């Protein structure tokens, strides 16, 4: 806990404890822990002197923030228009079948989180899947299956 | 590096850089834009650098990781300057060969060249490829050849000379006048005249004013802002500094989506470099003008592209828009005058100042001046970023530049303007593309996404897609958008799943008009557009879904069925083994069948079958 609060403080100090830094601080904390631990939000509220309900509403409003722990591997299926017309829904179906996950859910062992994202701006290589920040282009349901196998093998 | 303290310093530095580069004989340009990057172009850069340093050639030959070249379909791309020999789909194992044969030897490697699909000829030079030849690149000219992370490269190409010109020989009013003459309209979608916006912001009351760049490119299917900011951040920054001078701002923000990490990085990096060189910060180029710019990341909300929502989120609130009866140029961020323009709009500014407003106004149509960058994606051969003069016919973009539809399929429609736009059908293919004509056709410019659709795209499904997107992205502040769009989505889902009745169609249209008139902000007001435009041009498809329970494009799952062709099936069993639902039955070397009850219509069997024996009905 001490360590967590120190980490949060370091982020706050970097951006400055002022309202316009809120989103930037939350992004960094969210990135560091892969979600927003409750204690971190309380600390941010205290140090930025902003009501906790405002912090929570921001955390709920923006898509990138998670209030529950997420998997070590983040699989983001792009569902932008170009990816959609080239078959992104089939990729999500595939993950649903293979792992029993709906977008937004995490496997029980915290190995993998499935998310959808509205356009990562790699439309020319559609459909794309981003795994821990790395973009994989022109994915088919079969390629998706082997990608998941690879991730599973790595995290086992 | 010493700070530039006068206009003359900038010229001297430019000369110095050119002098320093005299001994460079050839430059190897490796496209590092998003498309090429996702195909492994960083490996190419590393490999080229390794080969050159092993051979001790780094002084005379230079590897340049550039921004997006635009021709994403051909990536990863390597271009050798000065001849502009264009190599496509290059793999790292070819690097040594390219250096030895092409860079040192001056030979052309045939099998890496682009092949013209219509003539079958191999094309050597970049400028001869039809994809480039038919474009008019002015804003996007340098993005694919600029060393993204090197301010000196930008300066050597004449960068920051527009800023120097504005600061040394123009009053802020004259800068605004020049932008007004140019006829530049906002490239974020609305198309509001930029000069007029700047003027209102300059005249607005307040000591502190902000200049802001909207890089929250949320339109699915559009990535020109991303490519510009990643590939040529200084061009955008220069535009912003000039804008800041014109409206009298001292502080600025670049609001970038967190989904674009490289754009965030490059923008931060460009700001730092510009500060070091005295092009940003206190007393820019030794003048009285000072400006500071920060980069802020968005957090994944489409609505934050709307000016009032963007500013709310910058203030640490949730990104809800407000009514715009008071403009943001008067009361924006912290209730102070704020001038927000899109990335592409800013990138146009240095060109206008350098070449004059009249020059700019000579390009384009009567009411839409200059060029527009489109991201041409979807079912098209030459996917990529395309810059053409306003008023260029759709046919030129799709057939000449885009190279037509792959797989011998027929062009059906093109979707422009993202979730606020609409579909333009095949019969309007000769439509000149500008702000007005797109609007007349029931669509809009938006930020410039062009998603090409062929026969295998269901227009009802497309409408459902956009409605689903808008349901997710509605901020929920006003009822028409929060509830209305959701009801529209339910109606369209019913149609796609075979539960549609004629009443659904009537209700859908009613809702469209009600939401258009009553929603609070641009997102809600334009939410019915994808439905209205598809209803206008593809009503028969909606009717087929409702009356006949048929999806002619064979997309809507409950309305289709997978069938194995008995004549073509060899009984190899590949589909049976891959089917995740065990819905395929059969023994080896005998014809297989699909159990319709178990089949989830995922399409894996079609992808797997080598004999094209599975089809959809």
């Amino acid at each position: 806990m001490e360590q967590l609060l120190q980490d949060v403080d370091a982020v706050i100090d970097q951006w400055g404890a002022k309202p316009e830094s809120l989103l930037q601080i939350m992004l960094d904390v969210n990135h560091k822990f892969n979600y927003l631990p409750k204690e971190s939000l309380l600390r941010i509220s205290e140090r930025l002197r902003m009501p906790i309900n405002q912090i929570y509403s921001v955390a709920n409003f923006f898509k990138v923030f998670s209030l529950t722990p997420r998997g070590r591997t983040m699989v983001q299926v792009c569902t932008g228009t170009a990816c959609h017309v080239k078959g992104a829904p089939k990729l999500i179906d595939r993950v649903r079948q293979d792992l029993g996950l709906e977008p937004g859910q995490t496997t029980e062992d915290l190995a993998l989180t499935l998310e959808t994202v509205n356009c990562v701006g790699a439309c020319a290589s559609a459909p794309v899947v981003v795994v821990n920040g790395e973009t994989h282009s022109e994915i088919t349901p079969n390629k998706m299956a082997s990608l998941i196998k690879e991730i599973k093998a790595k995290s086992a | 590096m010493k700070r530039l303290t006068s206009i003359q310093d900038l010229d001297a530095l430019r000369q110095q850089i050119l002098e320093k580069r005299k001994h460079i004989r050839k430059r190897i340009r490796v496209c590092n834009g998003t498309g090429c990057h996702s195909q492994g172009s960083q490996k190419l850069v590393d490999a080229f650098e390794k080969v050159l340093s092993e051979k001790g050639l780094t002084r005379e030959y230079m590897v340049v990781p550039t921004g997006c070249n635009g021709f994403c379909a051909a990536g990863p791309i390597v271009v050798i300057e000065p001849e502009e020999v264009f190599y496509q789909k290059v793999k790292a194992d070819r690097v040594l060969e390219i250096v030895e044969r092409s860079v040192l030897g001056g030979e052309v490697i045939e099998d890496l060249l682009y092949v013209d699909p219509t003539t079958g000829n191999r094309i050597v030079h970049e400028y001869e490829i039809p994809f480039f030849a038919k474009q008019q690149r002015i804003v996007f000219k340098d993005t694919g050849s600029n060393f993204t992370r090197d301010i000196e490269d930008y300066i050597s190409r004449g960068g920051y000379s527009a800023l120097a010109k504005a600061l040394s020989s123009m009053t802020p009013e004259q800068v605004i006048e020049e932008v007004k003459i140019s006829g530049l309209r906002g490239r974020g979608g609305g198309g509001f005249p930029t000069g007029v916006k700047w003027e209102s912001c300059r005249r607005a009351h307040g000591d502190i004013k902000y200049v802001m760049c909207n890089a929250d490119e949320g339109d699915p299917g559009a990535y020109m802002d991303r490519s510009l900011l990643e590939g040529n951040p200084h061009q955008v920054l220069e535009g912003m500094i000039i804008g800041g001078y014109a409206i009298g701002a001292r502080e600025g923000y670049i609001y970038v989506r967190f989904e674009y990490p490289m754009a965030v990085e490059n923008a931060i990096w460009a700001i730092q470099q510009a500060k070091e060189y005295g092009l940003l910060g206190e007393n820019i180029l030794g003048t009285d003008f000072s400006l500071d710019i920060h980069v802020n990341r968005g957090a994944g909300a489409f609505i934050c592209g709307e000016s009032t929502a963007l500013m709310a989120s910058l203030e640490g609130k949730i990104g809800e828009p407000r009514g715009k009866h008071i403009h943001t140029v008067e009361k924006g961020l912290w209730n102070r005058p704020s001038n927000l323009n899109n990335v592409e709009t800013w990138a146009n500014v240095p060109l206008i100042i350098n070449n004059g407003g009249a020059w700019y106004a000579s390009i384009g149509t009567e009411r839409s001046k200059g060029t527009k960058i489109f991201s041409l994606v979807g079912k098209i051969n030459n996917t990529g970023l395309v810059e053409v003069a306003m008023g260029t016919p759709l046919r030129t973009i799709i057939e000449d530049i885009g190279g037509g539809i792959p797989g011998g399929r027929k062009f059906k429609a093109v979707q422009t303007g993202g979730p606020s736009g609409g579909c333009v059908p095949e019969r309007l293919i000769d439509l000149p593309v500008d702000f007005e004509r797109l609007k007349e056709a029931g669509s809009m410019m938006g930020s410039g996404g062009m998603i090409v659709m062929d026969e295998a795209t269901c227009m009802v499904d497309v409408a459902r897609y956009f409605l689903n997107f808008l349901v997710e992205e509605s901020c929920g502040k006003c009822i028409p958008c929060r509830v209305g769009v959701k009801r529209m989505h339910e109606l369209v889902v019913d149609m796609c799943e075979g539960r549609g009745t004629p009443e659904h169609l009537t209700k859908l249209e009613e809702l469209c008009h009600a939401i258009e008139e009553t929603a609070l902000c641009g997102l809600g007001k334009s939410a019915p557009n994808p439905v209205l435009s598809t209803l206008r041009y593809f009503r028969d498809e909606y009717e087929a879904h409702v009356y006949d329970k048929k999806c002619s494009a064979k997309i809507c799952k409950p309305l289709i069925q997978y069938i194995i062709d008995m004549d073509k099936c060899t009984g190899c069993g590949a589909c049976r083994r891959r089917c995740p639902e065990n819905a395929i039955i059969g023994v080896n070397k005998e014809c297989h069948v699909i159990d319709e009850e178990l089949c989830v219509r995922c399409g894996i069997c079609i992808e797997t079958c080598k004999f094209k024996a599975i089809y959809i009905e």
Side-chain angles (χ1 to χ4, degrees):
Chain A
M1 180 59 61
E2 268 307 298
Q3 185 57 46
L4 183 143
L5 291 181
Q6 274 178 20
D7 288 343
V8 174
D9 279 340
V11 172
I12 296 174
D13 292 339
Q14 187 202 331
W15 291 100
K18 46 193 184 193
E20 60 261 49
S21 306
L22 178 67
L23 212 52
Q24 308 308 310
I25 292 169
M26 285 170 72
L27 276 164
D28 284 356
V29 173
N30 189 65
H31 182 74
K32 187 159 185 69
F33 301 104
N34 227 350
Y35 79 112
L36 292 170
K38 186 179 165 193
E39 294 74 17
S40 72
L41 294 180
L42 290 168
R43 187 66 153 210
I44 294 170
S45 155
E46 195 184 293
R47 288 207 47 201
L48 267 62
R49 297 190 186 167
M50 290 170 86
I52 186 72
N53 67 345
Q54 188 179 344
I55 312 268
Y56 263 101
S57 67
V58 169
N60 272 310
F61 184 84
F62 292 98
K63 203 165 275 171
V64 56
F65 300 128
S66 173
L67 293 169
T68 48
R70 291 185 294 181
R72 294 181 290 278
T73 304
M74 300 290 299
V75 177
Q76 293 167 314
V77 179
C78 178
T79 51
T81 324
C83 291
H84 179 80
V85 303
K86 287 192 134 181
K90 285 184 180 163
L91 304 180
I92 299 168
D93 284 350
R94 184 77 225 214
V95 189
R96 197 179 278 136
Q97 285 161 5
D98 282 8
L99 296 172
L101 285 187
E102 292 293 327
Q105 291 182 341
T106 305
T107 52
E108 266 178 35
D109 57 356
L110 287 182
L112 183 149
T113 298
L114 173 69
E115 278 184 349
T116 57
V117 48
N118 291 322
C119 198
V120 294
C123 315
S125 340
V128 298
V129 171
V130 182
V131 179
N132 277 352
E134 195 188 334
T135 311
H136 298 260
S137 46
E138 291 172 23
I139 298 292
T140 63
N142 275 334
K143 279 195 203 165
M144 189 78 216
S146 31
L147 246 162
I148 290 168
K149 239 186 226 164
E150 239 175 73
I151 295 166
K152 268 180 157 176
K154 258 187 213 160
S155 69
Chain B
M1 173 59 218
K2 79 175 168 86
R3 269 176 73 89
L4 305 171
T5 50
S6 71
I7 311 291
Q8 291 75 25
D9 273 7
L10 181 68
D11 287 331
L13 174 67
R14 184 169 298 127
Q15 292 311 321
Q16 235 177 53
I17 297 167
L18 291 174
E19 190 62 34
K20 210 165 67 184
R21 294 189 171 187
K22 260 190 172 161
H23 53 75
I24 292 175
R25 296 173 57 183
K26 281 188 183 180
R27 294 189 351 145
I28 305 162
R29 258 159 52 195
V30 183
C31 177
N32 227 353
T34 337
C36 292
H37 196 84
S38 69
Q39 309 258 21
S41 63
Q42 188 55 47
K43 282 184 199 142
L44 289 178
V45 176
D46 297 342
F48 272 114
E49 273 169 357
K50 191 164 164 253
V51 170
L52 288 184
S53 75
E54 275 170 9
K55 291 181 180 287
L57 295 170
T58 44
R59 209 181 117 80
E60 290 172 303
Y61 300 92
M62 183 182 176
V63 188
V64 187
T66 71
C68 182
N69 165 290
F71 197 4
C72 306
I77 293 166
V78 172
V79 181
I80 296 160
E81 288 182 356
E83 302 91 344
E84 292 194 35
V85 177
F86 183 92
Y87 290 141
Q88 63 161 0
K89 298 187 174 144
V90 182
K91 298 268 178 308
D93 57 8
R94 303 295 297 268
V95 164
L96 185 64
E97 186 189 352
I98 293 175
V99 171
E100 285 178 345
R101 286 179 61 191
S102 235
V103 178
L104 302 175
E107 255 180 273
V108 170
I109 302 172
E110 285 280 325
D111 70 312
L112 288 175
L113 294 176
Y114 174 76
V115 184
D116 190 329
T118 49
T119 61
N121 291 340
R122 291 187 184 277
I123 298 175
V124 179
H125 301 112
E126 188 174 20
Y127 49 85
E128 291 167 341
I129 296 171
F131 177 83
F132 296 103
K134 299 261 177 161
Q135 293 188 45
Q136 188 171 352
R137 286 195 174 188
I138 55 172
V139 180
F140 206 54
K141 181 169 158 264
D142 278 349
T143 308
S145 33
N146 194 43
F147 195 158
T148 20
R149 296 228 161 187
D150 184 20
I151 191 173
E152 296 204 344
D153 213 38
Y154 183 66
I155 292 174
S156 75
R157 289 162 191 279
Y160 286 108
S161 56
L163 175 66
K165 182 177 171 184
L167 291 183
S168 64
S169 65
M170 296 168 89
T171 63
E173 287 79 8
Q174 281 171 327
V175 173
I176 291 174
E177 192 52 34
E178 211 57 47
V179 176
K180 278 168 106 180
I181 292 170
S182 77
L184 175 66
R185 294 169 66 177
R187 295 295 193 249
F192 190 80
T194 305
V196 176
K197 196 183 212 176
W198 288 16
E199 191 169 50
S200 327
C201 195
R202 175 158 189 87
R203 284 185 183 160
H205 295 286
D207 295 335
I208 301 173
K209 292 175 183 175
Y210 297 105
V211 58
M212 300 168 93
C213 174
N214 188 345
D216 192 66
E217 185 179 47
D219 265 22
Y223 63 110
M224 68 290 291
D225 290 348
R226 171 179 194 160
S227 293
L228 269 174
L229 198 55
E230 280 177 4
N232 209 350
H234 283 292
Q235 191 178 343
V236 180
L237 200 56
E238 187 180 357
M240 284 184 78
I241 305 171
I242 295 170
Y245 172 68
I247 68 161
R250 278 202 53 121
E251 211 172 341
Y253 288 92
I254 303 180
Y255 190 94
V256 198
R257 307 175 73 195
F258 88 94
E259 290 96 328
Y260 290 176
M262 208 204 287
V264 173
E265 241 173 72
N266 287 8
I268 292 174
W269 162 85
I271 286 172
Q272 275 170 0
Q273 278 215 323
K275 274 187 184 163
E276 278 170 34
Y277 280 70
L279 295 160
L280 193 62
E282 293 295 314
N283 302 101
I284 294 172
L285 285 172
T287 64
D288 292 336
F289 173 54
S290 302
L291 178 72
D292 202 3
I293 291 179
H294 316 279
V295 175
N296 273 51
R297 290 162 296 167
F302 178 64
I303 184 66
C304 287
E306 172 92 12
S307 58
T308 52
L310 185 152
M311 291 173 196
S313 86
L314 263 178
E315 292 170 8
K317 300 178 193 141
I318 60 175
E320 275 182 354
R322 59 162 175 79
K324 276 199 190 169
H325 45 279
I326 302 170
H327 297 296
T328 49
V329 285
E330 276 149 31
K331 283 191 171 178
L333 186 63
W334 306 116
N335 278 330
R336 291 166 181 152
S338 310
N339 186 91
L340 178 74
N341 280 126
N342 163 272
V343 174
E344 196 183 333
T345 317
W346 287 124
N348 269 288
V349 171
L351 301 171
I352 292 168
I353 299 303
N354 268 331
N355 303 304
W359 163 81
Y360 193 84
S362 70
I363 307 166
T365 59
E366 199 194 332
R367 292 183 62 194
S368 302
K369 300 297 186 193
T371 60
K372 175 81 191 89
I373 308 175
F374 293 102
S375 76
L376 193 60
V377 295
K379 310 276 182 72
I380 185 117
N381 277 316
N382 301 340
T383 45
L385 293 181
V386 165
E387 183 179 357
V388 289
M390 290 276 192
T392 303
L394 210 45
R395 190 187 290 279
T396 311
I397 301 174
I398 289 170
E399 290 182 359
D400 301 343
I401 299 171
I405 317 298
R409 288 220 173 98
K410 243 187 93 198
F411 169 62
K412 183 172 186 176
V414 59
Q415 206 279 347
T416 69
S420 313
C423 293
V424 182
E426 197 266 340
R427 67 185 160 87
L428 292 182
I429 194 165
D430 288 308
L431 185 87
V433 182
D434 70 13
F435 286 106
E436 270 70 34
R437 300 302 290 273
L438 278 175
K439 211 164 190 181
E440 281 164 25
S443 185
M444 68 181 271
M445 181 74 81
S447 62
M450 271 196 182
I451 295 111
V452 181
M453 296 164 180
D454 66 2
E455 303 148 289
T457 315
C458 168
M459 301 319 272
V460 187
D461 176 66
V462 167
R464 178 179 67 159
Y465 167 79
F466 282 113
L467 288 172
N468 179 47
F469 178 89
L470 290 160
V471 167
E472 277 179 22
E473 293 297 340
S474 170
C475 77
K477 189 174 182 181
C478 74
I479 294 167
C481 184
R482 182 179 70 233
V483 183
V485 179
K486 198 162 193 173
R487 293 292 97 84
M488 282 172 78
H489 180 242
E490 285 166 5
L491 289 169
V492 177
V493 167
D494 274 355
M495 293 182 196
C496 289
E497 296 186 351
R499 295 186 298 270
T501 62
E503 211 188 319
H504 277 69
L505 270 173
T506 336
K507 275 192 181 163
L508 187 63
E509 280 185 298
E510 262 178 45
L511 267 172
C512 281
H513 298 300
I515 295 168
E516 243 182 346
E517 278 165 31
T518 52
L520 175 70
C521 78
L523 185 142
K525 279 192 171 72
S526 61
N529 277 356
V531 175
L532 284 172
S533 76
T534 43
L535 268 173
R536 179 167 163 189
Y537 297 115
F538 301 96
R539 203 182 177 90
D540 52 329
E541 274 189 51
Y542 280 89
E543 286 173 351
H545 278 71
V546 172
Y547 294 107
D548 314 330
K549 313 285 182 232
K550 283 235 154 64
C551 174
S552 57
K554 295 171 182 169
I555 294 292
C556 295
K557 283 182 177 182
L559 307 180
I560 57 168
Q561 195 183 341
Y562 279 70
I563 295 172
I564 297 183
D565 188 330
M566 287 167 67
D567 296 333
K568 288 184 182 161
C569 178
T570 62
C572 72
C575 59
R576 171 166 42 91
R577 285 189 296 273
R578 298 234 50 158
C579 177
E581 301 297 317
N582 296 322
I584 300 179
I585 313 151
V587 286
N588 270 352
K589 294 185 182 165
E590 272 175 46
C591 183
H592 285 45
V593 285
I594 298 175
D595 183 337
E596 213 195 306
E597 293 279 298
L598 293 175
C599 174
V600 292
R601 297 158 178 93
C602 67
I604 285 176
C605 51
I606 289 198
E607 196 195 326
T608 308
C609 183
K610 284 185 189 138
F611 307 98
K612 297 202 165 79
I614 304 171
Y615 63 96
I616 305 172
E617 198 173 85

